Amino acid sequence: MIVPSLSTLEKKQPVSARRSLSKLLSTDLDFHREASNYASHALHAFAAKFPPQLPRIFIEGLTHKGETVMDPMMGSGTAIVEAFLCGRRAVGFDIDPLALTICRVKTHPVDFLETTWAGKRVVNSAIKLLQRASRLEPAMRERFSPASLEFIDYWFGKQSQRELMALLLAIEREHLEQPLLDFLKVVFSSIIITKSGGVSLAYDLAHTRPHLLEGKPYKDAIKIFEARLAKSAALLSQLPSNGKHVEIQQHDCRQRLPLEEDSVQLIVTSPPYANAIDYMRAHKFSLVWFGEDIDGLSTLRSTYIGSEKTGVPNTPDLPSSVCRAVDKLKEVDSKKSRVLAKYFADMRLALGEMVRVLEPGRCCIVVVGPSTMRGQTIKTHELLSDIGNEVGFETLDIAERKLDRNRRMLPAAFRRNHNSQIESRMHEEYIIGFLKPLR
Ligand SMILES: C[S@@+](CC[C@H](N)C(=O)[O-])C[C@H]1O[C@@H](n2cnc3c(N)ncnc32)[C@H](O)[C@@H]1O
């Protein structure tokens, strides 16, 4: 698969969206043999992130330089980074506080020397603080609520707690300004939320399915921080300096987006899968250290699309295909059917906003996979396509891509349960190519 070069895109003639989108959807979109760790993409683990080539091919093929690309559920910001690298104006929203910080850092070049010196000072100061470890525990008790302390005690060994607290205090003592402060926080978080291991006692954090691993070997948090810092500073210092075109904001995409009608030239997004990934379950492992209270984070969790913790769905406007899927699930599990109905009701609101802000004649790319709930396959892509058509999009086509599950970092089954529902839902995903018709 050859990604079209930038030069083909810089021509200023109008984009014939229909023809271009059809062509792009019929190309090979698997990207299994292509590196996904270039630029700032590998800065921090994030469940279900895109391979960067996926948003890039649509950004290059469907927009010109200077046009606006938006992702209303940007996660770690793969589409935003790609839009930024391609010289587009990148606009991203998410409700997840960690996603926002990661994406801000990934689109902000740093000065290599300044960053590494600040990092060295932090490491030296953390080592000194650790020598007076008896002061660290009272500092933790003062800072964290009882619920947060209980969480930290359960998931982090005593020595790791001391090291992380020492790093945190050392970062604060530097009195750094943004973006350097966020950069150090993301490096700090990246040693906790990792694909295999990290400094907590949890396993599988990057897949958002933490479980306590008995006898997990101790890892020196300060050493790992130092190593990651050097690597991350090197990556970010290579970024181009056109970051002024990146706008990132915490926003619930079910609510009215802070954008004018018809103001966006391309949307590329990947919503959560129905009932599959609980971001907060993993992200609180870092956020709790940044002072977010564990109880407050649980409240925020219920606002995530696809969350198990759901309110009563308001579903009068859902298409009959969606109602049939919900009713079928209700026959075996009424609670899960409410979760599913809420997911589609939420996605209807999100798609309604997407169609409002998109310029007529332009495209919206939605990448999503099917789910299995109580043994029933939910063809989320087909149902979202039906919802999209009701809110004003036209589905041009739905392409399939085979998943390299490890690279997309979707939840893996626990070893003892190979036939789990999660295992069976993650073999392929679909790319819905929507067009907003001309008026
Ligand atoms: C599949 S991830 C996106 C991954 C992203 N494409 C990447 O490459 O990192 C879905 C994202 O939707 C976000 N999300 C869930 N509910 C949301 C809501 N109500 N408003 C905005 N974002 C939401 C989650 O926080 C998560 O970051």
Side-chain angles (χ1 to χ4, degrees), residues 46-51 71-79 93-96 99 106 251-254 269-273 277 279 283 303-306 346 408:
F46 201 90
K49 66 177 170 185
F50 288 141
D71 184 345
M73 289 166 264
M74 64 174 188
S76 63
T78 313
F93 303 100
D94 206 291
I95 40 168
D96 186 281
K106 280 168 77 172
H251 191 84
D252 182 340
C253 67
R254 298 168 301 174
T269 195
S270 152
Y273 286 24
I277 297 177
Y279 283 94
H283 292 183
T303 61
Y304 285 59
I305 294 177
D346 284 349
R408 182 93 154 96

Side-chain angles (χ1 to χ4, degrees), residues 211-212 413-420:
H211 50 285
L212 206 61
F414 293 168
R415 266 181 214 108
R416 60 185 130 74
N417 182 11
H418 272 294
N419 295 323
S420 85

Side-chain angles (χ1 to χ4, degrees), residues 108-122 176 179-180 183-184 187 229-230 232-234 236-237:
H108 220 301
V110 299
D111 180 285
F112 182 74
L113 280 181
E114 187 196 359
T115 312
T116 37
W117 276 115
K120 269 188 204 310
R121 286 197 303 273
V122 165
L176 296 166
L180 205 44
F183 168 77
L184 291 174
V187 175
L229 190 124
S232 307
L236 290 186
S237 62

Side-chain angles (χ1 to χ4, degrees), residues 147-360:
S148 297
L149 278 175
E150 195 184 326
F151 177 85
I152 290 173
D153 262 338
Y154 184 79
W155 287 106
F156 294 86
K158 279 285 171 212
Q159 180 60 13
S160 303
Q161 290 183 24
R162 287 191 278 271
E163 288 165 2
L164 290 170
M165 190 63 204
L167 278 171
L168 212 56
L169 288 173
I171 292 173
E172 285 171 7
R173 282 182 181 186
E174 283 292 312
H175 298 293
L176 296 166
E177 308 232 324
Q178 302 295 11
L180 205 44
L181 180 60
D182 272 349
F183 168 77
L184 291 174
K185 281 166 94 173
V186 168
V187 175
F188 179 94
S189 174
S190 75
I191 69 172
I192 298 174
I193 299 174
T194 70
K195 209 164 161 185
S196 56
V199 299
S200 75
L201 297 172
Y203 178 75
D204 223 3
L205 268 183
H207 291 107
T208 72
R209 303 192 60 76
H211 50 285
L212 206 61
L213 193 64
E214 297 293 335
K216 185 174 169 190
Y218 156 78
K219 288 182 178 162
D220 185 324
I222 298 182
K223 274 203 180 122
I224 304 178
F225 177 87
E226 193 174 15
R228 279 208 70 98
L229 190 124
K231 218 170 135 190
S232 307
L235 285 178
L236 290 186
S237 62
Q238 308 287 323
L239 287 180
S241 50
N242 54 349
K244 62 180 184 299
H245 299 302
V246 180
E247 292 152 46
I248 293 160
Q249 201 176 317
Q250 186 169 35
H251 191 84
D252 182 340
C253 67
R254 298 168 301 174
Q255 317 275 346
R256 192 177 172 85
L257 294 169
L259 291 170
E260 295 286 314
E261 205 165 298
D262 305 345
S263 61
V264 167
Q265 281 73 47
L266 174 69
I267 297 171
V268 190
T269 195
S270 152
Y273 286 24
N275 190 40
I277 297 177
D278 186 342
Y279 283 94
M280 193 46 83
R281 209 152 137 195
H283 292 183
K284 63 186 175 189
F285 278 72
S286 289
L287 292 171
V288 71
W289 289 99
F290 301 149
E292 302 271 2
D293 187 57
I294 218 75
D295 291 332
L297 291 177
S298 299
T299 312
L300 181 62
R301 190 174 167 197
S302 60
T303 61
Y304 285 59
I305 294 177
S307 163
E308 283 265 356
K309 261 180 103 189
T310 182
V312 181
N314 177 11
T315 53
D317 296 326
L318 292 176
S320 54
S321 55
V322 175
C323 296
R324 276 197 303 278
V326 170
D327 288 345
K328 196 161 165 238
L329 187 60
K330 196 172 179 183
E331 287 167 16
V332 288
D333 191 330
S334 68
K335 181 167 180 279
K336 284 245 183 271
S337 79
R338 281 199 302 278
V339 172
L340 190 65
K342 181 75 164 60
Y343 173 79
F344 286 116
D346 284 349
M347 282 305 299
R348 188 184 194 285
L349 295 173
L351 285 165
E353 266 309 281
M354 292 187 221
V355 80
R356 181 183 70 79
V357 301
L358 190 67
E359 186 183 311

